[in-house]
Amino acid sequence: MTGTADQTANAPPTLRARRLGLHSQHQAIAVMRTDCHVCRAEGLSSRSQVLLSAGGRQVLAMLYQADGDLVAPGEAALSESAWERLGVAEGTPIKVSHAPSLDSLANVRRRIYGHRLDAAALQAVVEDVTAGRYTDVHLAAFLTASAALPLDEQETVDLTAAMVDVGDRLAWNVPVVVDKHCIGGLPGNRTTPIVVAIVAANGLVMPKTSSRAITSPAGTADTMETLAPVDLDLATIQRVVDQEGGCIAWGGAVHLSPADDIFVRVERELDVDTEGQLIASVLSKKIAAGSSHVVLDIPVGPTAKVRTEEAARRLGDRLVAVAAHFGLAATCIRTDGSQPVGRGIGPALEAHDILAVLQNRPDMPADLRNRAAVLAGAALEIGGAAEAGAGHALALATLADGRAWTKFQRICQAQGGMREPPRALHVRPLTAGRAGRIVQINNRKISQLAKLAGAPEAKAAGVTMDVMLGDEVASGQPLLRLHADTVGELAYAMEYASRNPDIIEIAT
Amino acid sequence: MTGTADQTANAPPTLRARRLGLHSQHQAIAVMRTDCHVCRAEGLSSRSQVLLSAGGRQVLAMLYQADGDLVAPGEAALSESAWERLGVAEGTPIKVSHAPSLDSLANVRRRIYGHRLDAAALQAVVEDVTAGRYTDVHLAAFLTASAALPLDEQETVDLTAAMVDVGDRLAWNVPVVVDKHCIGGLPGNRTTPIVVAIVAANGLVMPKTSSRAITSPAGTADTMETLAPVDLDLATIQRVVDQEGGCIAWGGAVHLSPADDIFVRVERELDVDTEGQLIASVLSKKIAAGSSHVVLDIPVGPTAKVRTEEAARRLGDRLVAVAAHFGLAATCIRTDGSQPVGRGIGPALEAHDILAVLQNRPDMPADLRNRAAVLAGAALEIGGAAEAGAGHALALATLADGRAWTKFQRICQAQGGMREPPRALHVRPLTAGRAGRIVQINNRKISQLAKLAGAPEAKAAGVTMDVMLGDEVASGQPLLRLHADTVGELAYAMEYASRNPDIIEIAT
């Protein structure tokens, strides 16, 4: 079919990029005027998926349209994620067109209708997810289909492999590379820096990359950053590990299993646990990190991710089986997930706990020390540095004789120099309204309290616990202390506490 | 637990409402500053679900955060949907807090894990969906779960009932109220005004409410609006129907099955057909409209929603069975869905076709006339105005003797006065690049072409077809004509046609 009219230029017209300053997590957003000529030419409307192109880069984005002066004629205003991924400057000409059709959605639809997916089909899905081509609706459909008919072992293996393949991979020139991971966060459960110090002090290689907090009051990288630089490039990580056998670095410089971050966000919104996804999520990061042996901490408790011993055992068995497909030796340790670990919750407050354990101080939190020793013991055994059954004692000895503390200081120096974690300006106790026994501690609300006090942005902010489950308290006795840098943040946290009397439950 | 500090005011602080002018369909959006004190106090971050409250109204919204001068300190900027539903003015103080937990999501999760839902559970889901409490992720999960394990007949009945219950319901003081619906759009398939005229001319009651286009070049309401006012309130609809036995009104003034619009949008994005959802969608609107008898047009064709006769038969059987639960008598008519119907595609162009049929003009599109007569015949039979087998002939006779045309004019007068559909300023043919036979017409691309030419916003714009499947054409002969109000829109459509030579396929 040919037109009889003179054709207009075949290249679609461009718009000028404008930075909107809008934060929308991973989601790329473009805002264009309702009367925009490109919208009309391309048949675009609000909530269309659009392809933004500039200087050889392409980004898929959700289009919103706007009236009034939010966007000027000839402009396309971009969210931070779109702006950064497209790599444009103010006024850069960008092309906007319909998003190309997404062939891998046919795989999602087949999965919805009960067909198993093979490695190639899962690879296609994961590639499109990583490229940002899936909307929330598409992501939720894939994850729901994988929960309605759970991923079988082969699918879990294939999904894990696909998630590894789309990201960076690290390689180490040693046969044994040890790693650890905790399934489902528990406030204050910051064992990683202690475990790395113990394991590296015993001659094993443990190059640990950790995340920053997303919705929690602290990630391992946030805590470690109060003690030493963690924003290391790949060459620095390599040098630190060559020199000291271990590191505790932020994973941001390397992109291990980037699809995982996208899946996790949707799973959180849906509040659906899909075992296959969880396994692929955890193991893809470890495999991509080049680990040969991994210790998995599975906290079990009424407000933890895993609620029963039976569920923890089943999950552990499947983790070990899938890991074996990749030559990764995994050990699962079920731990108590009924209350926060240690005293501090918040980057610097957790760092103070870590220092107390490493320095064998009399006031150290015994639960944190013991958890770290259990996990480090398992790592020493699986990595061949201790006989079966002898790992825990070796780990405790490595703490007691100061070798872990020495190793930790050397790692901090290698990462750029050790520093003293800050202290908050304002500390205020929350006290028991009556006498009795502590029968319940709500992990989720404790975390929220620490965040209101300013964590993790304010490094020194957070909560310190004065009580544990089973403790008897008198009326007026401190239950926890709030740490904040400003009186405003202190007030927010106090106000939340007054509205939530069930953060810590006391029975008479 | 009690705080020892003086408490700040218990009421959460307010922000000043600002209208952002952002169009985001049903999705309510609030934009607040990254450093906003309310975000900090409530622990809110980008993509949190938030509850906006002002003057006794509440709206759930997606929060985005912004830096720079997009939002001023102390402001919350709202999308159009949030602005309208909250009913605020510039500067109105609004409260922003965490969205309350959504109990009905537990039902969605149970459904994902394979448990059937009862009437109460489906009711709770549909109420929350209608209230705008479900995010895209939640909606996609519910729809995916209903596709992975298809809704059984009882669930389909219960879902239909729930969708009826959350919306408005119309009531008519006659035992027989006839309705019609077409499953899956086909460009130009605008039989409704003709069917209503024929049916009402034969003494049956047919109060038809129709929708405007969402993604198509015309909805029945858009087309009818070029012939008479359609934006009628309930009292006017009642008066027109009392007087003439029928109406063709826009459904916007009444909210029949409001959850349906939300589900349909997500299903479209997912491109997943869930039979149970489709049935609940169609029947909930008919039941809410107070219909007792309904004729369902099921076009079957390679680019239609239903692809095979067998699938159409199965769908028809289930529609009839579920309708029977509500005392609604349904008849399904399978029709040809292989190409556009009539000549015009676009509001006024379709209206001209309708007038040609009603006025028995020699140039009328015979396919449109016959389809309308088949559907009207079925409606006359099911409604008791014709013997079985005699409906089609009666419908054709009602067209031939001018009674349908008279009735249509009277309905238009009652709705506020008949008018002449406009003609576009610019008409340009697209011609055959070679001689041969028309073997394929892409319904979807024909629709896109009509939209690029300006439909449905530009009432006169769209496409008229010069050929049908099987026609022999000479090189240079017109295949279709583009109608546009501006040369710019004409150029956009021409450009699209030049990039898509497969809109109409010619075999030699």
Side-chain angles (χ1 to χ4, degrees), chain A residues 5 21 23 27 40-41 46-47 64-67 109 112-113 135-136 148 265 269 273 428 452 489, chain B residues 5 21 23 27 40-41 46-47 64-67 112-113 135-136 148 265 269 271 273 428 452 489:
Chain A
H23 295 271
Q27 191 190 2
R40 172 52 62 85
S46 266
R47 294 180 55 96
Y64 291 113
Q65 290 181 301
D67 299 327
R109 283 189 286 271
I112 291 172
Y113 292 123
T135 65
D136 280 3
R265 187 189 51 71
E269 186 169 333
D273 281 323
R428 194 74 55 91
L452 290 175
E489 285 162 317
Chain B
H23 296 271
Q27 191 191 0
R40 173 52 63 85
S46 266
R47 293 181 54 95
Y64 291 113
Q65 290 180 300
D67 299 326
I112 291 172
Y113 293 122
T135 65
D136 279 3
R265 188 189 50 72
E269 186 169 333
D271 199 9
D273 282 323
R428 193 74 55 90
L452 290 176
E489 286 162 316

CSV table of all heavy atoms in Angstrom, one decimal, chain A residues 5 21 23 27 40-41 46-47 64-67 109 112-113 135-136 148 265 269 273 428 452 489, chain B residues 5 21 23 27 40-41 46-47 64-67 112-113 135-136 148 265 269 271 273 428 452 489:
chain,number,residue,atom,x,y,z
A,5,ALA,N,-0.1,11.0,-1.0
A,5,ALA,CA,0.4,12.3,-0.5
A,5,ALA,C,1.9,12.3,-0.4
A,5,ALA,O,2.5,11.3,-0.3
A,5,ALA,CB,-0.2,12.7,0.8
A,21,GLY,N,13.2,15.6,38.4
A,21,GLY,CA,13.5,15.4,39.8
A,21,GLY,C,12.6,14.5,40.6
A,21,GLY,O,12.5,14.5,41.8
A,23,HIS,N,11.4,10.9,42.0
A,23,HIS,CA,11.9,9.6,42.4
A,23,HIS,C,10.8,8.6,42.3
A,23,HIS,O,9.8,8.7,42.9
A,23,HIS,CB,12.5,9.7,43.8
A,23,HIS,CG,13.6,10.6,44.0
A,23,HIS,ND1,14.9,10.2,43.8
A,23,HIS,CD2,13.7,12.0,44.2
A,23,HIS,CE1,15.7,11.3,44.0
A,23,HIS,NE2,15.0,12.3,44.2
A,27,GLN,N,11.2,2.4,38.5
A,27,GLN,CA,10.2,2.7,37.4
A,27,GLN,C,10.6,3.9,36.6
A,27,GLN,O,10.7,5.0,37.3
A,27,GLN,CB,8.8,2.8,38.0
A,27,GLN,CG,7.7,2.9,36.9
A,27,GLN,CD,6.4,3.3,37.5
A,27,GLN,OE1,6.3,3.6,38.7
A,27,GLN,NE2,5.4,3.3,36.7
A,40,ARG,N,0.3,12.5,19.7
A,40,ARG,CA,-0.7,12.4,18.6
A,40,ARG,C,-0.2,11.6,17.4
A,40,ARG,O,-0.8,10.6,17.0
A,40,ARG,CB,-1.1,13.8,18.1
A,40,ARG,CG,-2.0,13.9,16.9
A,40,ARG,CD,-3.2,13.0,17.0
A,40,ARG,NE,-4.1,13.4,18.1
A,40,ARG,CZ,-5.1,14.3,18.0
A,40,ARG,NH1,-5.3,14.9,16.9
A,40,ARG,NH2,-5.9,14.5,19.0
A,41,ALA,N,1.1,11.9,17.1
A,41,ALA,CA,1.6,11.2,15.9
A,41,ALA,C,1.8,9.7,16.2
A,41,ALA,O,1.6,8.8,15.3
A,41,ALA,CB,3.0,11.8,15.5
A,46,SER,N,-1.9,8.4,28.2
A,46,SER,CA,-1.4,8.2,29.6
A,46,SER,C,-1.3,6.8,29.9
A,46,SER,O,-2.3,6.0,29.6
A,46,SER,CB,-2.3,9.0,30.6
A,46,SER,OG,-1.8,10.2,30.9
A,47,ARG,N,-0.3,6.4,30.5
A,47,ARG,CA,0.0,5.0,30.9
A,47,ARG,C,0.4,4.1,29.7
A,47,ARG,O,0.4,2.9,29.9
A,47,ARG,CB,-1.1,4.4,31.8
A,47,ARG,CG,-1.3,5.1,33.1
A,47,ARG,CD,-2.4,4.5,34.0
A,47,ARG,NE,-2.2,3.1,34.1
A,47,ARG,CZ,-1.6,2.5,35.1
A,47,ARG,NH1,-1.2,3.2,36.1
A,47,ARG,NH2,-1.5,1.2,35.2
A,64,TYR,N,3.0,9.5,31.3
A,64,TYR,CA,1.9,10.2,31.9
A,64,TYR,C,1.8,11.5,31.1
A,64,TYR,O,2.8,12.0,30.6
A,64,TYR,CB,2.1,10.5,33.4
A,64,TYR,CG,2.1,9.3,34.3
A,64,TYR,CD1,3.2,8.9,35.0
A,64,TYR,CD2,0.9,8.6,34.4
A,64,TYR,CE1,3.2,7.8,35.8
A,64,TYR,CE2,0.9,7.5,35.3
A,64,TYR,CZ,2.0,7.1,36.0
A,64,TYR,OH,2.0,6.0,36.8
A,65,GLN,N,0.5,11.9,30.9
A,65,GLN,CA,0.3,13.2,30.2
A,65,GLN,C,-0.1,14.3,31.2
A,65,GLN,O,-0.6,14.0,32.2
A,65,GLN,CB,-0.7,13.0,29.1
A,65,GLN,CG,-0.2,12.1,28.0
A,65,GLN,CD,-1.2,11.9,26.9
A,65,GLN,OE1,-2.3,11.4,27.1
A,65,GLN,NE2,-0.8,12.3,25.7
A,66,ALA,N,0.2,15.5,30.8
A,66,ALA,CA,0.0,16.6,31.7
A,66,ALA,C,-0.6,17.8,31.0
A,66,ALA,O,-0.2,18.1,29.8
A,66,ALA,CB,1.3,17.0,32.5
A,67,ASP,N,-1.5,18.5,31.6
A,67,ASP,CA,-1.9,19.8,31.2
A,67,ASP,C,-1.2,20.9,31.9
A,67,ASP,O,-0.4,20.7,32.8
A,67,ASP,CB,-3.4,20.0,31.6
A,67,ASP,CG,-4.3,19.0,30.9
A,67,ASP,OD1,-4.0,18.6,29.8
A,67,ASP,OD2,-5.3,18.6,31.6
A,109,ARG,N,2.3,-15.7,29.7
A,109,ARG,CA,0.9,-16.2,29.5
A,109,ARG,C,0.9,-17.8,29.5
A,109,ARG,O,0.0,-18.3,30.1
A,109,ARG,CB,0.4,-15.7,28.2
A,109,ARG,CG,0.0,-14.2,28.3
A,109,ARG,CD,-0.8,-13.7,27.1
A,109,ARG,NE,0.1,-13.5,25.9
A,109,ARG,CZ,0.7,-12.4,25.7
A,109,ARG,NH1,0.5,-11.3,26.5
A,109,ARG,NH2,1.5,-12.3,24.6
A,112,ILE,N,1.0,-18.9,33.0
A,112,ILE,CA,-0.2,-18.7,33.7
A,112,ILE,C,-1.2,-19.8,33.4
A,112,ILE,O,-1.9,-20.3,34.3
A,112,ILE,CB,-0.9,-17.3,33.2
A,112,ILE,CG1,-0.1,-16.1,33.7
A,112,ILE,CG2,-2.3,-17.2,33.7
A,112,ILE,CD1,-0.5,-14.8,33.1
A,113,TYR,N,-1.2,-20.3,32.1
A,113,TYR,CA,-2.1,-21.4,31.8
A,113,TYR,C,-1.5,-22.7,32.1
A,113,TYR,O,-2.0,-23.7,31.6
A,113,TYR,CB,-2.4,-21.2,30.3
A,113,TYR,CG,-3.3,-20.0,30.0
A,113,TYR,CD1,-2.9,-19.0,29.1
A,113,TYR,CD2,-4.5,-19.8,30.7
A,113,TYR,CE1,-3.7,-17.9,28.9
A,113,TYR,CE2,-5.2,-18.6,30.5
A,113,TYR,CZ,-4.8,-17.7,29.6
A,113,TYR,OH,-5.6,-16.6,29.4
A,135,THR,N,6.1,-4.0,33.0
A,135,THR,CA,5.4,-3.1,33.9
A,135,THR,C,5.1,-3.9,35.2
A,135,THR,O,5.3,-5.1,35.2
A,135,THR,CB,4.1,-2.7,33.3
A,135,THR,OG1,3.2,-3.8,33.1
A,135,THR,CG2,4.3,-2.0,31.9
A,136,ASP,N,4.6,-3.2,36.2
A,136,ASP,CA,4.2,-3.8,37.4
A,136,ASP,C,3.2,-4.9,37.1
A,136,ASP,O,3.2,-6.0,37.8
A,136,ASP,CB,3.5,-2.8,38.3
A,136,ASP,CG,4.6,-2.0,39.1
A,136,ASP,OD1,5.8,-2.2,38.8
A,136,ASP,OD2,4.2,-1.2,39.9
A,148,ALA,N,1.2,-19.7,41.9
A,148,ALA,CA,-0.1,-20.5,41.8
A,148,ALA,C,0.3,-22.0,41.4
A,148,ALA,O,-0.2,-22.9,41.9
A,148,ALA,CB,-0.9,-19.9,40.7
A,265,ARG,N,11.0,-6.3,44.9
A,265,ARG,CA,10.1,-5.2,45.2
A,265,ARG,C,8.7,-5.5,44.9
A,265,ARG,O,7.8,-5.1,45.7
A,265,ARG,CB,10.5,-4.0,44.2
A,265,ARG,CG,9.8,-2.7,44.5
A,265,ARG,CD,10.1,-1.7,43.4
A,265,ARG,NE,9.8,-2.2,42.1
A,265,ARG,CZ,8.6,-2.5,41.6
A,265,ARG,NH1,7.6,-2.2,42.3
A,265,ARG,NH2,8.5,-2.9,40.4
A,269,GLU,N,5.4,-5.9,47.7
A,269,GLU,CA,4.1,-5.3,47.5
A,269,GLU,C,3.0,-6.3,47.5
A,269,GLU,O,1.9,-6.0,48.1
A,269,GLU,CB,4.1,-4.5,46.2
A,269,GLU,CG,2.8,-3.6,46.0
A,269,GLU,CD,3.0,-2.7,44.8
A,269,GLU,OE1,4.1,-2.3,44.5
A,269,GLU,OE2,1.9,-2.3,44.2
A,273,ASP,N,5.1,-15.1,49.3
A,273,ASP,CA,6.3,-15.8,49.3
A,273,ASP,C,6.3,-16.9,48.3
A,273,ASP,O,5.5,-17.8,48.4
A,273,ASP,CB,6.6,-16.4,50.7
A,273,ASP,CG,7.1,-15.4,51.7
A,273,ASP,OD1,7.8,-14.5,51.3
A,273,ASP,OD2,6.7,-15.5,52.9
A,428,ARG,N,16.8,9.3,74.2
A,428,ARG,CA,15.6,9.4,75.0
A,428,ARG,C,15.0,8.0,75.3
A,428,ARG,O,14.8,7.2,74.4
A,428,ARG,CB,14.5,10.2,74.3
A,428,ARG,CG,13.4,10.7,75.1
A,428,ARG,CD,13.8,11.9,76.1
A,428,ARG,NE,14.4,13.0,75.4
A,428,ARG,CZ,13.7,14.0,74.9
A,428,ARG,NH1,12.4,14.1,75.1
A,428,ARG,NH2,14.3,15.0,74.3
A,452,LEU,N,12.0,6.1,61.9
A,452,LEU,CA,11.4,7.5,62.3
A,452,LEU,C,12.5,8.3,63.0
A,452,LEU,O,12.5,9.5,62.9
A,452,LEU,CB,10.2,7.3,63.1
A,452,LEU,CG,9.0,6.7,62.4
A,452,LEU,CD1,7.8,6.5,63.4
A,452,LEU,CD2,8.6,7.7,61.3
A,489,GLU,N,13.1,14.6,64.7
A,489,GLU,CA,13.1,13.2,64.5
A,489,GLU,C,12.8,12.4,65.8
A,489,GLU,O,12.0,11.5,65.8
A,489,GLU,CB,14.4,12.7,63.9
A,489,GLU,CG,14.5,13.1,62.4
A,489,GLU,CD,15.9,13.1,61.9
A,489,GLU,OE1,16.9,13.5,62.6
A,489,GLU,OE2,16.1,12.6,60.7
B,5,ALA,N,9.0,11.9,77.0
B,5,ALA,CA,9.1,13.3,76.4
B,5,ALA,C,7.7,13.8,76.3
B,5,ALA,O,6.7,13.1,76.2
B,5,ALA,CB,9.8,13.3,75.1
B,21,GLY,N,-2.1,18.7,37.3
B,21,GLY,CA,-2.5,18.6,35.9
B,21,GLY,C,-2.0,17.3,35.3
B,21,GLY,O,-1.9,17.2,34.0
B,23,HIS,N,-2.3,13.5,34.1
B,23,HIS,CA,-3.4,12.5,33.7
B,23,HIS,C,-2.7,11.1,33.9
B,23,HIS,O,-1.7,10.8,33.3
B,23,HIS,CB,-3.8,12.7,32.3
B,23,HIS,CG,-4.5,14.0,32.1
B,23,HIS,ND1,-5.9,14.1,32.3
B,23,HIS,CD2,-4.1,15.2,31.8
B,23,HIS,CE1,-6.2,15.4,32.1
B,23,HIS,NE2,-5.1,16.1,31.8
B,27,GLN,N,-5.5,5.7,38.1
B,27,GLN,CA,-4.5,5.7,39.2
B,27,GLN,C,-4.3,7.1,39.8
B,27,GLN,O,-4.0,8.1,39.2
B,27,GLN,CB,-3.1,5.3,38.6
B,27,GLN,CG,-2.1,5.0,39.6
B,27,GLN,CD,-0.7,4.8,39.0
B,27,GLN,OE1,-0.5,4.9,37.8
B,27,GLN,NE2,0.3,4.5,39.9
B,40,ARG,N,8.8,12.0,56.4
B,40,ARG,CA,9.7,11.5,57.5
B,40,ARG,C,8.8,11.0,58.7
B,40,ARG,O,9.1,9.9,59.2
B,40,ARG,CB,10.6,12.7,57.9
B,40,ARG,CG,11.4,12.5,59.1
B,40,ARG,CD,12.2,11.2,59.0
B,40,ARG,NE,13.2,11.1,58.0
B,40,ARG,CZ,14.4,11.6,58.0
B,40,ARG,NH1,14.9,12.2,59.1
B,40,ARG,NH2,15.3,11.4,57.0
B,41,ALA,N,7.8,11.8,59.0
B,41,ALA,CA,7.1,11.4,60.2
B,41,ALA,C,6.3,10.1,60.0
B,41,ALA,O,6.2,9.3,61.0
B,41,ALA,CB,6.0,12.6,60.5
B,46,SER,N,9.1,6.8,48.1
B,46,SER,CA,8.5,6.7,46.8
B,46,SER,C,7.9,5.4,46.6
B,46,SER,O,8.4,4.4,46.9
B,46,SER,CB,9.6,7.0,45.7
B,46,SER,OG,9.6,8.3,45.4
B,47,ARG,N,6.7,5.4,45.9
B,47,ARG,CA,5.9,4.2,45.6
B,47,ARG,C,5.2,3.6,46.8
B,47,ARG,O,4.7,2.5,46.8
B,47,ARG,CB,6.7,3.2,44.8
B,47,ARG,CG,7.1,3.7,43.4
B,47,ARG,CD,7.9,2.7,42.6
B,47,ARG,NE,7.1,1.4,42.6
B,47,ARG,CZ,6.3,1.0,41.6
B,47,ARG,NH1,6.2,1.8,40.5
B,47,ARG,NH2,5.7,-0.1,41.6
B,64,TYR,N,4.9,9.5,44.9
B,64,TYR,CA,6.2,9.7,44.3
B,64,TYR,C,6.9,10.8,45.1
B,64,TYR,O,6.2,11.8,45.5
B,64,TYR,CB,6.2,10.0,42.8
B,64,TYR,CG,5.7,8.8,42.0
B,64,TYR,CD1,4.5,8.9,41.3
B,64,TYR,CD2,6.5,7.7,41.9
B,64,TYR,CE1,4.1,7.8,40.6
B,64,TYR,CE2,6.1,6.6,41.1
B,64,TYR,CZ,4.8,6.7,40.4
B,64,TYR,OH,4.4,5.6,39.7
B,65,GLN,N,8.2,10.8,45.2
B,65,GLN,CA,8.9,11.9,45.9
B,65,GLN,C,9.6,12.7,44.8
B,65,GLN,O,10.0,12.2,43.8
B,65,GLN,CB,9.8,11.4,47.0
B,65,GLN,CG,9.0,10.9,48.2
B,65,GLN,CD,9.8,10.3,49.3
B,65,GLN,OE1,10.6,9.4,49.1
B,65,GLN,NE2,9.7,10.9,50.4
B,66,ALA,N,9.9,14.0,45.1
B,66,ALA,CA,10.5,14.9,44.1
B,66,ALA,C,11.5,15.8,44.8
B,66,ALA,O,11.3,16.3,45.9
B,66,ALA,CB,9.5,15.7,43.3
B,67,ASP,N,12.6,16.0,44.1
B,67,ASP,CA,13.6,17.1,44.5
B,67,ASP,C,13.3,18.3,43.7
B,67,ASP,O,12.4,18.3,42.8
B,67,ASP,CB,15.0,16.7,44.1
B,67,ASP,CG,15.4,15.4,44.8
B,67,ASP,OD1,15.0,15.2,46.0
B,67,ASP,OD2,16.2,14.6,44.2
B,112,ILE,N,-4.4,-17.4,45.0
B,112,ILE,CA,-3.1,-17.7,44.3
B,112,ILE,C,-2.7,-19.2,44.7
B,112,ILE,O,-2.3,-19.9,43.8
B,112,ILE,CB,-2.0,-16.7,44.7
B,112,ILE,CG1,-2.3,-15.4,44.1
B,112,ILE,CG2,-0.6,-17.2,44.2
B,112,ILE,CD1,-1.3,-14.3,44.6
B,113,TYR,N,-2.9,-19.5,45.9
B,113,TYR,CA,-2.5,-20.8,46.4
B,113,TYR,C,-3.5,-21.9,46.2
B,113,TYR,O,-3.4,-23.0,46.7
B,113,TYR,CB,-2.0,-20.7,47.9
B,113,TYR,CG,-0.8,-19.9,48.0
B,113,TYR,CD1,-0.7,-18.8,48.9
B,113,TYR,CD2,0.4,-20.2,47.3
B,113,TYR,CE1,0.4,-18.0,49.0
B,113,TYR,CE2,1.5,-19.5,47.5
B,113,TYR,CZ,1.5,-18.4,48.3
B,113,TYR,OH,2.7,-17.6,48.4
B,135,THR,N,-3.3,-1.8,44.0
B,135,THR,CA,-2.3,-1.3,43.1
B,135,THR,C,-2.4,-2.2,41.8
B,135,THR,O,-3.0,-3.2,41.8
B,135,THR,CB,-0.9,-1.4,43.7
B,135,THR,OG1,-0.6,-2.7,43.9
B,135,THR,CG2,-0.8,-0.6,45.0
B,136,ASP,N,-1.6,-1.8,40.8
B,136,ASP,CA,-1.5,-2.6,39.6
B,136,ASP,C,-1.0,-4.0,39.9
B,136,ASP,O,-1.4,-5.0,39.4
B,136,ASP,CB,-0.5,-2.0,38.6
B,136,ASP,CG,-1.2,-0.9,37.8
B,136,ASP,OD1,-2.4,-0.6,38.0
B,136,ASP,OD2,-0.5,-0.3,36.9
B,148,ALA,N,-4.9,-18.7,36.1
B,148,ALA,CA,-4.1,-19.9,36.3
B,148,ALA,C,-5.0,-21.1,36.8
B,148,ALA,O,-4.9,-22.2,36.3
B,148,ALA,CB,-3.0,-19.6,37.4
B,265,ARG,N,-8.8,-2.7,32.2
B,265,ARG,CA,-7.6,-2.0,31.8
B,265,ARG,C,-6.4,-2.9,32.1
B,265,ARG,O,-5.4,-3.0,31.3
B,265,ARG,CB,-7.5,-0.8,32.7
B,265,ARG,CG,-6.4,0.1,32.3
B,265,ARG,CD,-6.3,1.3,33.3
B,265,ARG,NE,-6.2,0.8,34.7
B,265,ARG,CZ,-5.2,0.1,35.2
B,265,ARG,NH1,-4.1,-0.1,34.5
B,265,ARG,NH2,-5.2,-0.3,36.5
B,269,GLU,N,-3.6,-4.7,29.5
B,269,GLU,CA,-2.1,-4.6,29.6
B,269,GLU,C,-1.4,-6.0,29.6
B,269,GLU,O,-0.3,-6.2,29.1
B,269,GLU,CB,-1.8,-3.8,30.9
B,269,GLU,CG,-0.3,-3.5,31.0
B,269,GLU,CD,0.0,-2.5,32.1
B,269,GLU,OE1,-0.9,-1.7,32.4
B,269,GLU,OE2,1.1,-2.5,32.7
B,271,ASP,N,-2.8,-8.7,28.4
B,271,ASP,CA,-3.2,-9.4,27.2
B,271,ASP,C,-3.6,-10.9,27.5
B,271,ASP,O,-3.2,-11.8,26.8
B,271,ASP,CB,-2.2,-9.3,26.1
B,271,ASP,CG,-2.7,-9.7,24.7
B,271,ASP,OD1,-3.9,-9.8,24.6
B,271,ASP,OD2,-1.9,-9.8,23.8
B,273,ASP,N,-6.8,-13.4,28.4
B,273,ASP,CA,-8.2,-13.6,28.4
B,273,ASP,C,-8.6,-14.5,29.5
B,273,ASP,O,-8.2,-15.7,29.5
B,273,ASP,CB,-8.7,-14.1,27.1
B,273,ASP,CG,-8.8,-13.1,26.0
B,273,ASP,OD1,-9.2,-12.0,26.3
B,273,ASP,OD2,-8.5,-13.4,24.9
B,428,ARG,N,-8.2,11.8,2.0
B,428,ARG,CA,-7.1,11.4,1.1
B,428,ARG,C,-7.1,9.9,0.9
B,428,ARG,O,-7.2,9.2,1.9
B,428,ARG,CB,-5.7,11.8,1.8
B,428,ARG,CG,-4.5,11.8,1.0
B,428,ARG,CD,-4.4,12.9,-0.1
B,428,ARG,NE,-4.5,14.3,0.5
B,428,ARG,CZ,-3.5,15.0,0.9
B,428,ARG,NH1,-2.3,14.5,0.9
B,428,ARG,NH2,-3.7,16.2,1.4
B,452,LEU,N,-4.9,7.8,14.4
B,452,LEU,CA,-3.9,8.8,14.0
B,452,LEU,C,-4.5,9.9,13.2
B,452,LEU,O,-4.1,11.1,13.3
B,452,LEU,CB,-2.8,8.1,13.2
B,452,LEU,CG,-1.9,7.2,14.0
B,452,LEU,CD1,-0.9,6.5,13.1
B,452,LEU,CD2,-1.2,7.9,15.1
B,489,GLU,N,-2.7,15.9,11.1
B,489,GLU,CA,-3.2,14.6,11.4
B,489,GLU,C,-3.2,13.7,10.2
B,489,GLU,O,-2.9,12.5,10.3
B,489,GLU,CB,-4.6,14.7,12.0
B,489,GLU,CG,-4.5,15.2,13.5
B,489,GLU,CD,-5.8,15.7,14.0
B,489,GLU,OE1,-6.5,16.5,13.3
B,489,GLU,OE2,-6.1,15.4,15.2
